């Protein structure tokens, strides 16, 4: 009886193995499509350090940095607070820098405006740090 169950299971597995459809081949760019280009990102992320110190309540609030961007004519899609890019370890000691930053997702067309008032593009900072570590 045990042999019959194993044989039946093997038969079902073999029969169902051919049911998956193969992936279609990648046609690549057609003769009139040219070289594919990378899409323009919908938003870019910029950041500015909060300049806070541990055990103090002196970090620049998210709302204050948001107001700076808005005064410069930069529309904000999203915002958050996080670590400064490239900082992997922070010493825990009152009075030491917090290494936090306020991040904002903005339109790529507004990047120059944001950089003119001290914001930096987050992804390029991380890429530059990683490239230097090689």
């Amino acid at each position: 009886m045990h042999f019959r169950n194993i044989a039946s299971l093997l038969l079902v597995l073999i029969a169902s193995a051919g049911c998956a459809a193969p992936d279609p081949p990648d046609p690549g760019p057609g003769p009139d499509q040219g070289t594919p280009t990378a899409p323009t990102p919908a938003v870019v992320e910029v950041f500015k350090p909060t300049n806070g110190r541990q055990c103090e309540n002196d970090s620049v609030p998210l709302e204050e940095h948001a107001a700076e961007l808005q005064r410069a004519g930069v529309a904000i899609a999203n915002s958050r607070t996080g670590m400064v890019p490239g900082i992997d370890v922070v010493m825990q000691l009152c009075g030491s820098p917090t290494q936090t930053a306020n991040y904002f997702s903005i339109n790529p067309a507004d990047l120059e405006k944001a950089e003119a008032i001290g914001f930096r593009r987050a992804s390029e900072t991380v890429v530059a740090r990683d490239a230097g570590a090689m």
Side-chain angles (χ1 to χ4, degrees), residues 45-52 59-66 78-85 98-105:
E45 191 170 50
V46 296
F47 76 97
K48 197 172 200 181
T50 62
N51 298 324
S59 295
V60 177
L62 188 70
E63 296 78 15
E64 189 173 323
H65 280 159
N78 200 0
S79 61
R80 66 181 177 88
T81 298
M83 295 295 290
V84 172
T98 61
Q99 303 301 333
T100 57
N102 292 323
Y103 288 81
F104 301 90
S105 297

Side-chain angles (χ1 to χ4, degrees), residues 5 15 19-20 25 29 32 36 39 43 53 59-60 94-95 97-99 115:
N5 290 341
C19 293
D32 60 343
V43 294
R53 292 173 292 166
S59 295
V60 177
C94 286
T98 61
Q99 303 301 333
E115 288 175 333

Side-chain angles (χ1 to χ4, degrees), residues 2 7-8 28 33 38-39 41 56 67 70-71 86 91 93 98 101 123 128 131:
H2 181 65
S8 297
Q33 293 176 341
E56 304 292 329
Q70 290 167 341
R71 283 191 298 273
M91 176 177 58
L93 178 66
T98 61
S123 61

